Amino acid sequence: MSKLNYKTKCPVTATLQLIGGRWKTIILYTLTHGTKRFGEIAVRIPEISRKVLTEQLKELESDGLIVREQFKEIPPRVEYSLTDLGKSLSPVIGELEKWGIENVLAD
């Protein structure tokens, strides 16, 4: 895993090193709903630039949370999906979603 600091003894710190930051959790949340192409992810997160999205996807792939599948077609097609490790975060992300609905977006 590219960013993991093996010296940390704190499980929360270790987890946040993988999924922390402004966009990674949102990208993972988007992929919990199924495989998506780059453009589909970009549409669902309009505030992120294409450059930053590309960087974040590469980091998530490097950390083993997502897989990038490139199809040999014309025009080329690339799809992103969660790995088993990424899928194991789905309950955590689901709880974040639930908390946000109940405590942030509640009227």
Side-chain angles (χ1 to χ4, degrees), residues 3 21 23 43 57-58 64 67 71-72 75 87 93 102 107:
K3 284 190 162 186
W23 302 112
V43 166
L57 288 167
K58 285 180 182 178
V67 63
F71 297 88
K72 296 181 188 225
K87 289 176 186 173
I93 293 170
E102 294 172 357
D107 291 66

Side-chain angles (χ1 to χ4, degrees), residues 70-81:
Q70 186 168 350
F71 297 88
K72 296 181 188 225
E73 300 176 349
I74 298 179
R77 176 172 54 115
V78 177
E79 293 182 344
Y80 296 90
S81 58

Side-chain angles (χ1 to χ4, degrees), residues 51-106:
K51 178 183 182 246
V52 172
L53 178 56
T54 299
E55 291 169 358
Q56 296 292 282
L57 288 167
K58 285 180 182 178
E59 287 182 23
L60 289 165
E61 182 182 17
S62 174
D63 291 335
L65 297 173
I66 66 170
V67 63
R68 178 183 188 271
E69 186 174 3
Q70 186 168 350
F71 297 88
K72 296 181 188 225
E73 300 176 349
I74 298 179
R77 176 172 54 115
V78 177
E79 293 182 344
Y80 296 90
S81 58
L82 296 175
T83 62
D84 287 340
L85 182 62
K87 289 176 186 173
S88 72
L89 286 166
S90 293
V92 175
I93 293 170
E95 285 299 314
L96 286 171
E97 176 186 34
K98 179 181 171 188
W99 188 89
I101 290 168
E102 294 172 357
N103 297 287
V104 180
L105 300 178

Side-chain angles (χ1 to χ4, degrees), residues 4-5 9-10 16 19 24 27 31-32 38 53 58 77 83 87 90-91 96:
L4 189 58
N5 177 355
K9 299 289 185 203
C10 176
L16 289 177
I19 66 169
K24 287 185 180 178
I27 294 167
L31 292 175
T32 62
F38 182 90
L53 178 56
K58 285 180 182 178
R77 176 172 54 115
T83 62
K87 289 176 186 173
S90 293
L96 286 171

Side-chain angles (χ1 to χ4, degrees), residues 13 15 17 20 25-27 29 33-35 40 42-43 47 63 87 104-105:
T13 300
T15 302
Q17 286 177 336
T25 306
I26 298 168
I27 294 167
Y29 172 71
H33 301 291
T35 300
E40 292 175 301
V43 166
E47 300 86 9
D63 291 335
K87 289 176 186 173
V104 180
L105 300 178

